[in-house]
Amino acid sequence: MFRIAASGDRQAFCRLWQQVFGDGESFSGPVFDSFAGPGNVYLSEEEGRLQAILSAVPVTLSGHKGFYLYGLATDPACRGKGLMTGLMEWAEAQLAAAGAEFCCLVPASASLFEFYRARGYQKAFGLREICRPIRRNLWAQAEFDAVTAKALLDLRRRFCPDSVTLTLNGMVRVLTDLYSGGLTIVSDPDGYGLYFQHGDELEVIELFAEGDRAAERLLEAARDKTGAETARITLGHAQPLFLGEGKPMDYGMIHFLAQPFPVEESYMRLMLDNEG
């Protein structure tokens, strides 16, 4: 039987989450409570036993209402029975009836792109990864960790209005998780970047700026703070920064529940998908 989760399902949800993904209740509980939120967790159960779960996290994209499917998990003892396929189809039907125009997701591994393609999803939101040295500039000025979740959403609207956008509660959960993993945010009036430091390299998981030079100034300020001399930067495939550099990467997928709309230039990132 497929159904929408109730508050009393939280404990069973967290148990199955830990069984499949290894995360404890301190991670899975907030997914249930606020990242997806009440009414947005879908279950498959039989005789009171939870078999599969998925969270449908509210998002928007260029004015279109949608959901980000996250934490799709099936009890190992129940795999191979088509439960997740059935749960996805049932959840998508409920979402479409409520006015959703699309669902998107991030496959947890390269092998799952084909699984989701067979279920109506297509690749979208590609990324580009580049590596470049960071030159030293003692005059580079920026602020660090001065960006709130609300401010980050505002920055996204300014620099990339065609991006998959979480609710404020969703972005708070994402930033809480990223900060717990050592994230730093660098910002100035011309842009911002989010990075982790790994020795003498910065892993920049998002970077937006008013041109290449503005982006370089942010990196230079980060070098002055950290001492890191190189940056591994992930950009949206359509971002104009550092054109001609780097290699393409698959990232997300989309399934239209209503009339399709263009997503070739769209961007998706920071979706609580184990970055850093």
Side-chain angles (χ1 to χ4, degrees):
M1 178 180 72
F2 304 131
R3 64 177 177 85
I4 298 173
S7 58
D9 295 306
R10 187 182 192 274
Q11 187 174 6
F13 173 92
C14 291
R15 280 200 303 268
L16 181 54
W17 187 288
Q18 183 166 23
Q19 182 182 12
V20 174
F21 301 119
D23 303 307
E25 188 174 341
S26 62
F27 185 91
S28 56
V31 171
F32 187 94
D33 297 334
S34 59
F35 188 57
N40 293 322
V41 174
Y42 294 79
L43 311 176
S44 171
E45 68 174 2
E46 183 177 348
E47 297 180 352
R49 178 188 175 188
L50 195 59
Q51 300 174 310
I53 56 175
L54 70 81
S55 298
V57 181
V59 294
T60 56
L61 173 59
S62 301
H64 300 277
K65 177 183 176 181
F67 287 85
Y68 168 58
L69 301 190
Y70 178 68
L72 288 75
T74 303
D75 184 329
C78 300
R79 290 174 183 167
K81 302 177 181 180
L83 288 173
M84 184 53 69
T85 297
L87 181 58
M88 289 177 66
E89 291 175 349
W90 188 81
E92 289 161 358
Q94 309 309 304
L95 297 171
E101 298 177 70
F102 70 96
C103 287
C104 58
L105 51 77
V106 178
S109 65
S111 63
L112 288 174
F113 278 92
E114 179 57 28
F115 174 86
Y116 293 120
R117 186 202 64 77
R119 286 150 185 83
Y121 286 76
Q122 63 189 62
K123 289 182 179 180
F125 319 114
L127 301 176
R128 178 166 52 97
E129 184 180 80
I130 67 175
C131 294
R132 58 177 14 240
I134 309 172
R135 72 177 185 176
R136 192 175 185 188
N137 178 3
L138 297 179
W139 301 104
Q141 299 291 318
E143 294 186 330
F144 292 87
D145 296 331
V147 175
T148 65
K150 182 180 184 303
L152 183 56
L153 289 173
D154 290 340
L155 287 169
R156 279 273 193 90
R157 293 187 188 99
R158 172 187 168 190
F159 287 102
C160 188
D162 191 18
S163 63
V164 176
T165 303
L166 293 163
T167 65
L168 179 58
N169 281 343
M171 185 57 78
V172 167
R173 181 59 200 152
V174 167
L175 279 186
T176 299
D177 184 62
L178 292 174
Y179 274 130
S180 71
L183 180 80
T184 298
I185 300 181
V186 57
S187 62
D188 67 16
D190 296 321
Y192 73 95
L194 289 76
Y195 69 84
F196 297 93
Q197 183 177 3
H198 303 296
D200 63 356
E201 181 180 79
L202 300 183
E203 179 188 5
V204 184
I205 61 173
E206 182 160 290
L207 180 65
F208 283 99
E210 300 282 4
D212 290 1
R213 187 64 199 114
E216 289 170 343
R217 285 195 299 270
L218 290 168
L219 297 174
E220 290 161 2
R223 171 177 170 158
D224 188 52
K225 179 179 175 66
T226 65
E229 298 179 356
T230 61
R232 180 161 52 91
I233 308 166
T234 302
L235 302 170
H237 77 101
Q239 270 185 261
L241 293 180
F242 309 125
L243 283 178
E245 297 184 35
K247 60 180 181 180
M249 302 165 51
D250 290 329
Y251 182 65
M253 304 186 80
I254 192 168
H255 174 50
F256 293 105
L257 304 178
Q259 183 66 30
F261 54 89
V263 294
E264 290 80 8
E265 305 297 313
S266 300
Y267 174 79
M268 181 167 71
R269 193 72 164 133
L270 308 184
M271 303 302 291
L272 204 62
D273 54 329
N274 301 317
E275 298 171 271

